[in-house]
Amino acid sequence: MNGPVDVRFVVLLLAGAGAAYVAYLHPSVGTALLVGVAVMTILYILMGTGGGDGPTK
C-alpha cells in the first residue's frame, strides 16, 4: 500500500468487520449482510473513480 490509508477504506473495513461479527453471532442474518457488504464494495469502487478528486497533472 502506498501512502496513508484512506479514511473511507478504514470506515468500510470496520463496517465489514462488524458485519462479519454479527453474521457469526446470528447465522440467519448472514445473507442480508452479504448483500450489504456487496453494496458497500460497489459504492467504494464507484467513489474511487470519477472526476471529483481534484485536478490531474
Side-chain angles (χ1 to χ4, degrees), residues 17-39:
Y21 181 69
V22 171
Y24 174 73
L25 292 178
H26 307 286
S28 62
V29 185
T31 303
L33 289 175
L34 181 61
V35 171
V37 169
V39 169

Side-chain angles (χ1 to χ4, degrees), residues 27-51:
S28 62
V29 185
T31 303
L33 289 175
L34 181 61
V35 171
V37 169
V39 169
M40 287 190 319
T41 302
I42 291 169
L43 286 176
Y44 181 76
I45 291 170
L46 291 175
M47 285 190 302
T49 59

